[in-house]
Amino acid sequence: MTGCLTRAPAPDRRLRLFCLHHAGGAASAYADWAGALGDEVDLLPIQLPGREGRIGEPRLRRMDTLVAQLIAELGGDLRPPYAFYGHSMGALVAYALTEALHARGRALPEAVLVGAYPAPDQHRFIREVPDMSPEDLTRLLRRIGGMSELVLRYPAWRDAATGLTRDDLLVCHSYTPGPVPIPCDLHAFAGDSDPLMALAEAAGWVRYTDGRFRLHRVPGGHFFVRDAPAEFFAILRAVLGLRPRTAVRSGAAVAAGLGARSDAVAPVHRV
């Protein structure tokens, strides 16, 4: 592992796609993405402290601390062209990380791709987490598909999973967006049956960019990548400017009226 990355970036000039995982998750959530995206992009999952290969490191509970650590660890790996994809908590981290890079005058991503997370001023469910009992948090995770039956059978595993999730969501709870929208293109991905977020809440991301914005509706729930992988990856490949691999049924991706600035979105990868 190189810092927070699970592998070293390729030395060529392909688009680097840095991926940030959901609360309670880990970089292994992106284990299957390389097969779906192929070798047209350099897929680089980011591992946050306190899990998998970084299990011995203390977990972080504040966004500003986490972002500062990520910038230090990624260093020169954030060379253009690159993009961020973040899922759930990872979406907010990706946005906060871009804000911090902009404030430091660093090279910015071609686009920020946020999945399964409402606009920062609307993340109401995050505010409830600090006061949730372990039982309530377990029920929430089961409802959204974030905890397996296997984990439930072992109390020590369940307690570890809920503890990790609680700490991760405290990162989100600690974050307040800055006053200036990022100047990057922003794509929001929303599951059409996500129990934690309405489509209109995802559309609120339009207020957080001075670049192009597009909202993509994907079949499925909070983890729509698992529910409808063919549809999601077809949309993602189009956003990244990659060659299409499989047909997707019409209407899987929409630029919802809901404040979207542009129906025509340029690919992320500019060659």
Side-chain angles (χ1 to χ4, degrees), residues 188-213:
F189 298 79
D192 59 10
S193 57
D194 189 337
L196 295 182
M197 182 184 71
L199 196 65
E201 292 175 308
W205 280 104
V206 69
R207 298 187 295 275
Y208 291 87
T209 176
D210 282 334
R212 288 177 292 249
F213 173 79

Side-chain angles (χ1 to χ4, degrees), residues 205-227:
W205 280 104
V206 69
R207 298 187 295 275
Y208 291 87
T209 176
D210 282 334
R212 288 177 292 249
F213 173 79
R214 188 161 184 183
L215 173 64
H216 305 272
R217 185 173 61 214
V218 185
H222 193 66
F223 293 102
F224 50 74
V225 184
R226 304 175 192 165
D227 299 334

Side-chain angles (χ1 to χ4, degrees), residues 7 9 18 21 42 61 75 80 86 130 132 146 153 195 206 229 236 257 265-266:
R7 49 169 290 272
F18 295 92
H21 57 73
D42 189 15
R61 298 177 177 86
M132 277 189 180
R153 295 176 198 164
V206 69
L236 182 60
V265 179

Side-chain angles (χ1 to χ4, degrees), residues 66-89:
L66 175 58
V67 164
Q69 182 168 321
L70 288 175
I71 290 175
E73 291 177 343
L74 289 167
D77 292 334
L78 293 173
R79 65 100 180 100
Y82 74 92
F84 289 135
Y85 176 86
H87 195 85
S88 196
M89 174 192 76

Side-chain angles (χ1 to χ4, degrees), residues 135-146:
E135 294 75 20
D136 287 341
L137 186 51
T138 298
R139 280 191 287 271
L140 173 64
L141 294 175
R142 288 292 300 126
R143 183 162 63 94
I144 66 173

